[in-house]
């Protein structure tokens, strides 16, 4: 059976960066919300991406900073669309069938619970998340928002993630009982930490 | 400034074992609830232990399985004794001043918050905790309790730990915001994991 890592994450806590780095360390395919959405919509980009996964995994054609702008995320508004969820669930199951992979978001920890995924949740204090958002924002957005506005956006996105997760899993988003490891990234060197977490994942699978 | 690791833990989740192993890996002094209580009471055992710490740390004269019997723990009943807390707090501060060290329990994460400790919380599902308690129990106790009785004991001890922590810290025990890392030990090889967590602690301190 293929190996799976799932990452739940507060917005701005570095979950996507961690996912990318783990994918590199462990040679696993990487899927996040934007990629899964693109695949569900069968865009040309997604076709290229899947092709890349099949031929040469892990493939990371997207820059690591993508979707750090609030405008680019599609979960600022919460939509409980069962059809969309079912389509994404099917993609997640197909991809997990195809190869070892890492999923960021999309309730993958719940959807793939039968595969014994290594379930990570990433969080941070508000100050660090604001700083990270500012650091990763596109140039034209870097100065346009106040800290208060960024905080309001963060909170709104996370409220929606919590609602989405609760609706589809009947579990509490971010509650440590649903994860194997919860990591506070507030003052952590993610690059160095990813190497150690990759080794922890291998220990998880060795049991 | 000395380096400090603090470990909060659900009863039966392996927090003490993890603490011992980290102490060995990182050559740090090790203190847990029983040791701190013994020091506070200035018993002969505690004098020997402190002497050992000073001369040759880490020193582990207690077998790793000590206090896995419910009869040996002193937190089955919750006591908010401010004098005892103050005495223990003073010991924790003195020991942290003296050398690098690891504290299991006793609100050390809160007491030493000015020292930037690496704060770990260890938890597990009820089934694993029951199995662990049974495995680590003294021979004469191994068969004497039913799973239901063990579960009731676990829950009672953890309720008291939560109350104790809340009373002295005004924080929520086990809430991930109070920790740098929360680890689910339900199906984890603690010996192997400890080596990686030791390396993660070093990354924490390097920032």
């Amino acid at each position: 059976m293929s190996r799976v890592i799932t990452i739940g994450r507060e917005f701005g806590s570095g979950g996507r960066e961690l996912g990318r780095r783990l994918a590199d360390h462990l040679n696993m395919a990487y899927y996040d919300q934007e990629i899964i959405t693109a695949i569900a919509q069968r865009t040309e980009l997604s076709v290229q991406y899947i092709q890349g996964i099949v031929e040469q995994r892990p493939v990371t054609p997207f820059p690591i900073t993508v979707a750090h702008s609030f405008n680019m995320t599609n979960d600022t508004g919460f939509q409980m669309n069962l059809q969309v969820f079912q389509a994404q669930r099917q993609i997640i199951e197909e991809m997990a069938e195809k190869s070892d992979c890492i999923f960021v978001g999309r309730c993958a920890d719940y959807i793939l619970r039968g595969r014994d995924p290594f379930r990570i949740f990433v969080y941070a204090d508000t100050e660090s998340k604001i700083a990270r958002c500012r650091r990763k924002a596109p140039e034209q957005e870097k100065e346009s928002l106040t800290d208060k506005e960024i905080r309001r956006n963060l909170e709104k996105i996370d409220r929606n993630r919590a609602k989405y997760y609760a609706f589809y899993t009947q579990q509490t988003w971010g509650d440590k009982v649903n994860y194997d490891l919860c990591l506070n990234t507030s003052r952590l060197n993610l690059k160095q930490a990813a190497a150690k977490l990759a080794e922890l994942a291998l220990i998880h699978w060795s049991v």
Side-chain angles (χ1 to χ4, degrees), chain A:
Chain A
M1 196 156 71
S2 62
R3 289 169 168 183
V4 172
I5 293 177
T6 63
I7 300 178
R9 74 300 183 213
E10 291 179 356
F11 192 87
S13 67
R16 296 161 50 89
E17 179 182 338
L18 179 64
R20 295 274 188 187
R21 293 193 183 281
L22 287 174
D24 283 345
H25 279 291
L26 295 164
N27 193 32
M28 294 168 80
Y30 170 87
Y31 303 99
D32 62 24
Q33 177 185 309
E34 285 68 37
I35 296 169
I36 292 165
T37 303
I39 295 170
Q41 292 163 352
R42 306 287 165 192
T43 61
E44 198 185 330
L45 182 65
S46 77
V47 173
Q48 281 170 16
Y49 189 79
I50 295 170
Q51 193 61 26
I53 292 286
V54 171
E55 288 168 4
Q56 177 196 351
R57 95 186 121 87
V59 62
T60 50
F62 299 99
I64 207 161
T65 55
V66 83
H68 268 282
S69 160
F70 294 115
N71 297 326
M72 289 175 75
T73 66
N74 67 357
D75 60 353
T76 46
F78 172 58
Q79 298 177 318
M80 285 181 294
N81 186 325
L82 205 58
Q83 269 190 322
V84 171
F85 179 80
Q86 295 292 17
Q88 295 191 348
R89 187 176 76 174
Q90 202 182 334
I91 289 161
I92 288 169
E93 284 170 344
E94 279 171 21
M95 294 313 177
E97 192 61 47
K98 208 172 271 179
S99 73
D100 293 350
C101 43
I102 296 182
F103 294 97
V104 177
R106 300 295 94 184
C107 307
D109 55 315
Y110 180 81
I111 292 167
L112 299 176
R113 62 194 182 283
R115 288 179 172 272
D116 188 25
F118 185 56
R119 303 160 302 167
I120 300 174
F121 189 86
V122 178
Y123 62 104
D125 58 41
T126 305
E127 208 173 287
S128 318
K129 290 188 289 188
I130 290 174
R132 187 182 183 85
C133 283
R134 217 174 260 297
R135 219 161 50 236
K136 301 281 184 178
E139 271 312 311
Q140 68 276 15
E141 263 186 40
K142 271 199 191 309
E143 301 301 330
S144 67
L145 293 176
T146 65
D147 280 3
K148 203 174 164 184
E149 286 168 327
I150 294 177
R151 184 166 62 244
R152 220 179 288 145
N153 280 339
L154 291 178
E155 287 168 358
K156 189 175 169 190
I157 291 171
D158 282 350
R159 262 199 312 277
N160 287 331
R161 287 182 179 175
K163 274 194 237 171
Y164 182 92
Y165 188 84
F167 184 80
Y168 290 114
T169 70
Q170 286 81 55
Q171 296 180 162
T172 303
W173 182 75
D175 182 343
K176 66 184 186 303
V177 302
N178 300 320
Y179 308 96
D180 297 298
L181 186 131
C182 302
L183 189 71
N184 187 337
T185 59
S186 303
R187 292 160 308 125
L188 194 68
N189 182 321
L190 257 191
K191 187 178 170 184
Q192 290 177 14
K196 300 305 156 196
L197 292 180
E199 292 167 14
L200 264 180
L202 294 175
I203 293 171
H204 170 86
W205 292 314
S206 73
V207 175

